[in-house]
Amino acid sequence: MSKEDLETFRRIWELSKDSPYMAKMEKPDLAFTGNNAVCGDWIEIAFRMKGKKIVEARFLHKGCALSAVGASVFSEFAEGKTLEAVRKLTPQKQLELFGAPVSPARSKCVMLPLEIIKKNPSQTRSLKGEGEVKLRSYKINPSQTRS
Amino acid sequence: MNIKGIKNDFPIFREHPGLVYLDSAATSQKPKAVIDAVANHYRTRNANIHRGIYKISEEATAAYDAARDAVAKFINAPSSRNIIFVRNATEGINLVAHAFARSRLKKGDVILATLMEHHANIVPWHMLAKDRGIKVAFTNVTLEGYLDEEDFKKKLTSNVKLAACTHASNVLGTINPVKRLVAYANKKGIPVLVDGAQAAPHLPVDVHDMGCDFYVLSGHKMLAPSGIGALYMSDEMIDALPPFMGGGDMIEAVTTEGFTYQPAPLKFEAGTPAIEAAIGFGEAIVYLQKIGMKAIRKHEIELTKYALHQMRKIRGVTVYGPKKAEDRTGAIAFSVDGIHPHDLASLFDAENICVRAGNHCTMPLHENVLGVNATTRMSFYIYNDMQDIDKAIRVLNNIIRTLK
């Protein structure tokens, strides 16, 4: 491993521990949650809305540095945009936002927020006036391999 | 053991100079002899087995049967008729689940598994539970990573109709005292299925001495091609249990009214099998026996002892499973404080070191015993040497130093 590789990872790793977007949002307007069944990573993304615009995005996370930073850059991207625009974010653009090379095996970590927002719109729930609503988590990829 | 010579037998290490392969618990690399045996079959005697009235079919049949003989001798089965070729250990367990359940299980019966089982030795029983109203119970694992034998004995109640236990854990490395466990169960008339996927590649196996009714193994973890494995069944079970899949090869006669089937083991082998893979499996066994399973076990104890010692010196590293190398195989799962296993595996990969990260198909073990949802695992085999471990430890130290 070159020094640069390790240094790149160190920056990802530090952001994963210290992202300004990683925080619990009290009473969000929209919240999405889900996990990656292959590795067990879990994230929740919460939005504060003003009209159709996302004015604040925050995430909670349990898992690897790549999925945390994936959620962080995704949250940053979401602020100021409509939910519709956020749902149109392509994997290529998400990788671009991520800003470091990712191997095929790890790209699912970075894509976790996209999967949650796009593939599971039924999980989108308006929480306004409902107080605490527990959202059901779902599996993105239930395939298990014998190892 | 001449490790340098052994490494030269594996073409993958020539294709990838400097590759450190520490993921043999997932699948092993293949020696040239096995690769050649598969290619040679296709080149010289490719034909379907058993029913061909011509020379190359007879030769293919003879080679396939010889592979079955090799497997039988390898695990000291009384005869080759006790060996059923399957795709892998998973299929072997599923075969038992179907054949055994259909003829022996009723609502309220219990299958006793353990918390250190691979999903392959849990999910088939859960599926039965759903379909037939049976229950699945689990023997505990101690904090030191051993099977809780007292708990096993306590849970062998009169409702238990089958005990299912791994010979060696793919995460903790723990080698279970299967002979003793079988004796406890058999005393109460309970048959035992032993999952040998992680044991048969690494240590001498003697099913006759063990006394189990079922033993499964996967060829691909012991130098053979993928798509071939074996299920050993005791004389009593192999004659008593009904076939699992129906089709060609397993039948004796078929009419519009019904069918009769062949004696064991053919009654369990419907359809054309993975002939070339079975032949490769036979060749892999020849290769392993040339080195000797005792020598292989000794080599792996040395590697494991060294790796455990080196890893325990690193601050922030937690190693799971028994402390004594003699009590375990060379599968070593570990955690590093503050670094996720997947990130760690990627960093190893950047240094040309293959390790595995995740739950290793043992979610109940991770959740109930280890208390983490993923770990990183190194696992060794005959082609690994001390230099491989030194490199892995050096890289691990470097990662931890950089990220602290």
Side-chain angles (χ1 to χ4, degrees):
Chain A
M1 173 169 30
S2 69
K3 264 201 165 146
E4 291 76 43
D5 286 343
L6 193 50
E7 190 48 37
T8 303
F9 180 75
R10 194 181 60 78
R11 288 207 305 274
I12 294 169
W13 185 72
E14 279 172 356
L15 181 57
S16 78
K17 306 229 171 272
D18 201 25
S19 163
Y21 296 91
M22 187 161 59
K24 185 169 173 58
M25 184 185 286
E26 293 302 327
K27 295 187 180 169
D29 295 309
L30 293 171
F32 305 80
T33 184
N35 58 44
N36 183 336
V38 173
C39 59
D41 278 16
W42 170 90
I43 54 171
E44 180 178 279
I45 294 177
F47 292 151
R48 178 100 50 230
M49 307 297 290
K50 195 169 185 181
K52 285 190 162 185
K53 268 201 175 151
I54 298 162
V55 290
E56 193 185 357
R58 293 289 179 270
F59 75 94
L60 293 173
H61 165 266
K62 193 180 166 196
C64 70
L66 269 66
S67 64
V69 173
S72 180
V73 297
F74 179 83
S75 300
E76 186 179 0
F77 173 81
E79 288 191 352
K81 298 196 176 56
T82 63
L83 180 62
E84 206 184 4
V86 168
R87 283 212 171 113
K88 282 186 183 154
L89 179 66
T90 62
Q92 291 75 15
K93 178 72 181 167
Q94 169 73 354
L95 279 179
E96 215 175 279
L97 295 171
F98 185 80
V102 181
S103 70
R106 298 302 306 281
S107 71
K108 66 179 185 293
C109 311
V110 180
M111 296 303 156
L112 190 53
L114 270 71
E115 302 285 337
I116 287 167
I117 294 276
K118 284 183 182 174
K119 285 197 179 167
N120 206 29
S122 64
Q123 293 303 309
T124 310
R125 301 261 301 268
S126 170
L127 302 185
K128 248 185 189 159
E130 290 181 35
E132 279 279 308
V133 175
K134 202 168 161 60
L135 295 172
R136 184 164 53 89
S137 69
Y138 74 107
K139 313 280 189 205
I140 290 165
N141 183 355
S143 71
Q144 295 283 328
T145 51
R146 191 175 164 108
S147 48
Chain B
M1 248 167 98
N2 176 6
I3 300 300
K4 211 169 177 184
I6 285 176
K7 222 165 200 167
N8 286 337
D9 289 346
F10 290 76
I12 193 117
F13 297 115
R14 266 185 227 171
E15 292 285 330
H16 302 275
L19 179 74
V20 176
Y21 186 75
L22 300 179
D23 197 21
S24 293
T27 198
S28 68
Q29 295 302 337
K30 319 300 173 197
K32 187 173 178 295
V34 168
I35 299 168
D36 287 350
V38 173
N40 188 46
H41 169 74
Y42 280 129
R43 266 199 298 264
T44 64
R45 55 169 125 74
N46 180 48
N48 211 333
I49 50 170
H50 292 150
R51 307 284 163 98
I53 318 288
Y54 50 87
K55 268 194 208 71
I56 56 169
S57 172
E58 283 163 356
E59 283 168 21
T61 304
Y64 183 76
D65 290 345
R68 198 194 300 278
D69 276 344
V71 176
K73 289 198 179 85
F74 186 70
I75 60 171
N76 197 28
S79 145
S80 61
R81 84 175 197 104
N82 300 85
I83 303 297
I84 300 154
F85 276 133
V86 285
R87 274 191 305 147
N88 43 40
T90 300
E91 189 174 281
I93 296 170
N94 277 273
L95 192 159
V96 174
H98 280 264
F100 188 80
R102 221 159 61 222
S103 58
R104 306 257 172 135
L105 295 187
K106 57 180 195 311
K107 203 173 169 190
D109 286 347
V110 175
I111 304 274
L112 180 59
T114 85
L115 275 180
M116 67 167 85
E117 296 313 305
H118 188 282
H119 294 161
N121 207 10
I122 296 175
V123 180
W125 313 122
H126 276 329
M127 287 163 88
L128 273 184
K130 211 174 159 204
D131 292 350
R132 302 186 80 98
I134 63 148
K135 290 194 179 111
V136 188
F138 293 88
T139 301
N140 290 333
V141 173
T142 68
L143 289 174
E144 295 77 32
Y146 292 93
L147 193 74
D148 185 339
E149 282 186 58
E150 288 309 310
D151 191 53
F152 178 79
K153 282 196 261 186
K154 203 174 73 191
K155 285 177 176 158
L156 283 173
T157 58
S158 58
N159 290 338
V160 174
K161 293 296 179 292
L162 180 77
C165 178
T166 192
H167 194 167
S169 161
N170 68 325
V171 174
L172 303 166
T174 316
I175 298 168
N176 286 318
V178 277
K179 188 178 174 183
R180 228 165 33 230
L181 301 177
V182 170
Y184 296 144
N186 285 0
K187 208 186 271 177
K188 297 190 172 188
I190 301 165
V192 180
L193 178 148
V194 178
D195 176 357
Q198 296 292 337
H202 305 286
L203 42 112
V205 173
D206 185 333
V207 290
H208 180 70
D209 181 57
M210 202 185 295
C212 59
D213 276 293
F214 308 102
Y215 194 94
V216 295
L217 45 137
S218 281
H220 73 93
K221 291 189 200 291
M222 43 194 292
L223 312 182
S226 37
I228 191 73
L231 161 63
Y232 158 80
M233 269 200 216
S234 64
D235 279 332
E236 188 202 330
M237 288 294 173
I238 207 161
D239 290 328
L241 296 187
F244 163 40
M245 289 199 285
D249 253 18
M250 55 80 74
I251 53 92
E252 195 177 58
V254 184
T255 66
T256 52
E257 308 300 317
F259 72 101
T260 52
Y261 51 79
Q262 296 253 35
L266 294 182
K267 73 172 172 182
F268 291 109
E269 293 181 8
T272 298
I275 303 164
E276 78 292 357
I279 290 165
F281 194 7
E283 193 63 35
I285 286 173
V286 169
Y287 184 92
L288 288 170
Q289 281 173 331
K290 242 185 244 167
I291 302 169
M293 293 310 291
K294 279 186 183 161
I296 290 171
R297 177 75 189 126
K298 187 168 168 275
H299 171 65
E300 288 186 21
I301 288 175
E302 281 165 13
L303 289 180
T304 307
K305 197 175 270 179
Y306 182 65
L308 288 173
H309 180 70
Q310 296 297 325
M311 289 170 86
R312 291 210 178 94
K313 286 199 286 196
I314 308 173
R315 267 183 82 158
V317 172
T318 305
V319 179
Y320 302 100
K323 288 191 168 68
K324 272 176 72 185
E326 288 80 2
D327 292 351
R328 57 184 297 162
T329 64
I332 304 178
F334 63 99
S335 296
V336 178
D337 292 349
I339 308 175
H340 192 276
H342 281 101
D343 296 329
L344 203 53
S346 289
L347 293 167
F348 272 111
D349 177 49
E351 283 282 14
N352 218 8
I353 301 173
C354 310
V355 298
R356 189 152 288 257
N359 59 50
H360 317 292
C361 296
T362 59
M363 285 168 90
L365 175 71
H366 277 75
E367 191 171 313
N368 296 282
V369 183
L370 307 185
V372 290
N373 62 4
T375 50
T376 309
R377 182 186 71 189
M378 294 181 192
S379 52
F380 313 131
Y381 207 17
I382 51 174
Y383 33 70
N384 290 119
D385 53 25
M386 298 293 183
Q387 284 77 37
D388 291 342
I389 294 170
D390 282 339
K391 184 171 173 190
I393 298 295
R394 200 164 57 238
V395 168
L396 184 57
N397 269 314
N398 192 22
I399 292 167
I400 292 172
R401 226 180 1 255
T402 311
L403 298 184
K404 289 294 161 189

